[in-house]
Amino acid sequence: MPGRTNWRQLALTAVVLAGAVGTLVYRLLPEPANTLTPERLDTLAQANLQEDDLKRCRETPDPVDAVWPKATVADLCRYYMEPVLTRDEARALLDTGRADQLDATFETYLTAHFSDTGRHGILLRAYAEIFSKHDDAVADIVRRWRDARPQSAYALTAEGYMLVSRAGAERGEDTIAATSPEAIATMSATLAEARTVLHAAIHGNRRLLPAYSALMKMARMGSDGALLEQIARQALSIDPTDANIYKRLMIASEPRWGGSEAKMQAVADAAMAHVEKVPMNSLLSTHALNYQAYMHYVQGDARKALALYETALRRQPDPLALKYAADVAMAVGKYAQAVEWQTQALRFFPDDTEILGQRASVLTHLKRLDWALRDATRMAALMPGSSKPLHRKANILKESGDFAGAEQAYQQALAIDPEAGEILNNLAYLYLTSTGHRAKAIAVHDTLVAKFPDHASTWTLQFDIYEREDPARAADGLRRFLQLVDPRDAVMVDQARRAQSMLKTLEERQAQSAPKPG
């Protein structure tokens, strides 16, 4: 949203650029305030050598000061790691004329959800695995399944789930009041279609809780709290223990969606009554704290957010809160703490390339280069054809002293994304500070000035290129940087103070070296 501090991007960019040791960007970063011992990082690194996702989830040690319920951790590992039908497997069934087997598979998940407490939520995970996206490949699976099994309640739920995801993308992340009329009209048409198929799915099988979950998401998108609560009551009458229904009800109870702290507490109390059967319901006991932390985070108060996250995450292993808390830790320079929380989040989200990329960058900053390279390699396997893993790999190779390998990786990344300003910036610093190819650095900087004059990093690079050879041009780089500082960004404001001090020193040097009159 306009006016919000993008802490995640700011923190990640700062740490990525910090790979160019000796540059102005590095000098402008806050000093790391690391509270974790090297031994703790060694322990986490060893745990991450386990290649099996389920074993790694179970064997990664909890944070030292955490009092996480063992049953909750085990339930989360089971929930996120249990294999479910994949997109490719669903397509293969349709390719071989076995749409009935799709129904049979989802019927198995439904039965498991209600009869086996050890597999609670597996039906929802199966739908989310494939149908939480709305790209052409998913739409093709839905269309073919519906054509082959037009009366299937499972296929109807899949279509509704996909349509709600599409409507969410059409609306964007703003509140209804801040969303354009055109976006609302497009979203409303999609939601009307989704509502029809989801009600048809429930009519076919009233125990299909993912259909209720999708309807609840629709009601929140339309800011209809009363309807959402009505749907939640219907779903909880079928399964009063369902963690996903309570989670959707909790999100709708947040003040930003028209709820209140009292409503959030009531939902948490209701969910906690069923924690013995569904241990992951305990996560809702700290949701209000995590919500408060997140709101401070998006409003720019990272230190207040960090304190709240620290309190909440000592008590419960909320995976999404761990991800956001790591962003906040990066923003305030607590890089080792960020690695702790990123590692804990990756216990439950092992294929989250955003977290992997961020951890690789922070590990590079902390000189944990072997571990960082493993993260970049895993990213590359999950993101074929993307420049991001190659960018991470280049930064790591540069830090390890493999400058030729780093240059090659930067060039490979730029071949995929030639307009990537960060990659160009880092390539320039490789030439300037590592290989001694100043002329190449100047050529890359000229490209950045032409393409990205509004990027602060363009002008910190100018300072670093010309600090010794052309102090006047270096000073101009600092002035251009200071013009781009956002006063709402605490980290940039701190960097600006340091830049002003450097500029003053440069100007004094210029004045002393200027010819005396007469």
Side-chain angles (χ1 to χ4, degrees):
M1 292 178 64
R4 285 186 176 177
T5 299
N6 191 337
W7 287 108
R8 176 177 298 172
Q9 187 59 46
L10 178 62
L12 178 57
T13 299
V15 174
V16 168
L17 292 177
V21 178
T23 66
L24 174 62
V25 172
Y26 184 85
R27 283 177 270 167
L28 294 180
L29 282 173
E31 288 299 315
N34 298 321
T35 57
L36 299 186
T37 65
E39 292 75 18
R40 174 61 180 175
L41 288 174
D42 290 341
T43 298
L44 294 176
Q46 185 64 34
N48 270 261
L49 293 175
Q50 173 57 256
E51 293 185 1
D52 182 273
D53 289 343
L54 179 57
K55 288 182 179 179
R56 185 171 60 254
C57 187
R58 290 172 172 169
E59 294 172 5
T60 297
D62 299 343
V64 174
D65 61 347
V67 288
W68 290 354
K70 294 185 183 303
T72 301
V73 174
D75 199 28
L76 288 170
C77 289
R78 184 272 316 165
Y79 176 76
Y80 285 112
M81 303 306 148
E82 182 174 5
V84 293
L85 190 76
T86 66
R87 179 189 298 194
D88 289 342
E89 290 168 342
R91 186 184 299 111
L93 289 174
L94 292 168
D95 288 344
T96 54
R98 292 181 290 163
D100 59 324
Q101 286 299 307
L102 267 179
D103 279 55
T105 300
F106 279 84
E107 175 71 28
T108 299
Y109 294 147
L110 177 68
T111 301
H113 173 92
F114 282 99
S115 62
D116 182 357
T117 56
R119 303 183 74 193
H120 182 96
I122 189 171
L123 179 64
L124 179 79
R125 264 218 55 235
Y127 274 108
E129 179 73 20
I130 303 175
F131 304 109
S132 59
K133 296 183 175 66
H134 55 276
D135 57 32
D136 291 343
V138 172
D140 181 65
I141 291 173
V142 168
R143 178 188 58 76
R144 293 169 64 194
W145 191 5
R146 290 277 286 115
D147 287 347
R149 308 278 293 178
Q151 302 304 314
S152 166
Y154 298 107
L156 285 163
T157 300
E159 183 176 13
Y161 212 89
M162 179 197 69
L163 288 170
V164 172
S165 173
R166 180 185 299 165
E170 291 166 347
R171 169 184 162 166
E173 296 183 0
D174 281 340
T175 61
I176 279 288
T179 303
S180 71
E182 295 79 11
I184 291 175
T186 302
M187 174 194 75
S188 297
T190 303
L191 289 180
E193 187 179 355
R195 186 177 298 108
T196 299
V197 297
L198 288 169
H199 280 297
I202 292 171
H203 181 75
N205 187 336
R206 65 184 296 269
R207 297 204 305 166
L208 275 170
L209 290 170
Y212 295 91
S213 177
L215 285 168
M216 289 177 70
K217 184 176 181 179
M218 287 175 53
R220 184 172 68 80
M221 289 167 63
S223 298
D224 192 336
L227 176 60
L228 188 146
E229 290 181 8
Q230 177 187 337
I231 298 166
R233 284 194 296 271
Q234 293 171 355
L236 292 172
S237 70
I238 297 166
D239 181 0
T241 73
D242 191 87
N244 178 260
I245 298 300
Y246 282 119
K247 182 177 180 180
R248 288 220 180 275
L249 189 56
M250 176 65 85
I251 293 171
S253 299
E254 293 170 354
R256 61 175 167 167
W257 304 115
S260 65
E261 291 188 10
K263 278 191 172 184
M264 287 194 290
Q265 186 60 54
V267 175
D269 291 343
M272 288 295 289
H274 305 286
V275 75
E276 184 173 347
K277 181 178 179 182
V278 184
M280 73 175 73
N281 274 329
S282 69
L283 299 182
L284 295 186
S285 66
T286 54
H287 185 93
L289 275 175
N290 288 323
Y291 167 75
Q292 293 167 20
Y294 178 77
M295 295 310 294
H296 283 290
Y297 165 64
V298 298
Q299 291 163 8
D301 190 347
R303 298 190 183 279
K304 179 65 174 175
L306 184 69
L308 289 165
Y309 275 131
E310 286 174 339
T311 299
L313 292 173
R314 286 191 190 102
R315 303 177 191 174
Q316 294 289 340
D318 187 306
L320 193 58
L322 285 162
K323 179 175 180 175
Y324 288 140
D327 296 342
V328 178
M330 286 194 301
V332 300
K334 286 197 170 185
Y335 303 128
Q337 182 63 67
V339 170
E340 173 76 73
W341 282 335
Q342 286 160 348
T343 302
Q344 299 300 334
L346 286 164
R347 289 175 78 175
F348 313 115
F349 302 146
D351 294 340
D352 189 312
T353 55
E354 183 180 15
I355 306 176
L356 281 167
Q358 290 179 355
R359 189 173 69 175
S361 295
V362 179
L363 288 168
T364 303
H365 188 58
L366 295 174
K367 311 303 181 188
R368 299 276 176 157
L369 301 179
D370 290 344
W371 189 2
L373 192 57
R374 290 198 300 273
D375 279 358
T377 301
R378 184 175 177 89
M379 271 185 79
L382 294 166
M383 303 173 68
S386 170
S387 65
K388 290 183 179 180
L390 292 167
H391 185 194
R392 299 288 182 266
K393 180 181 178 181
N395 291 335
I396 298 162
L397 292 172
K398 177 182 180 296
E399 282 300 302
S400 69
D402 183 357
F403 302 139
E407 181 179 12
Q408 181 181 35
Y410 282 133
Q411 296 289 8
Q412 289 172 341
L414 288 168
I416 296 171
D417 187 2
E419 299 297 313
E422 284 184 18
I423 302 175
L424 284 165
N425 192 286
N426 282 358
L427 177 61
Y429 276 117
L430 175 73
Y431 292 142
L432 181 66
T433 65
S434 301
T435 67
H437 294 147
R438 186 169 180 272
K440 288 185 177 181
I442 291 173
V444 175
H445 176 254
D446 290 344
T447 300
L448 286 164
V449 170
K451 292 185 176 181
F452 305 107
D454 295 331
H455 287 199
S457 57
T458 296
W459 304 107
T460 57
L461 173 61
Q462 178 165 312
F463 169 85
D464 284 311
I465 290 174
Y466 295 104
E467 181 181 7
R468 290 182 178 84
E469 288 79 2
D470 190 344
R473 195 163 181 180
D476 181 63
L478 288 177
R479 294 188 191 99
R480 295 290 296 268
F481 166 77
L482 290 169
Q483 292 171 2
L484 295 170
V485 170
D486 185 343
R488 297 164 299 186
D489 286 351
V491 173
M492 287 195 77
V493 169
D494 184 57
Q495 292 174 352
R497 282 194 290 268
R498 303 184 193 196
Q500 286 168 339
S501 176
M502 293 177 187
L503 179 60
K504 182 179 178 182
T505 300
L506 268 181
E507 290 173 339
E508 289 172 351
R509 281 167 46 195
Q510 287 180 271
Q512 290 170 1
S513 62
K516 305 294 184 193

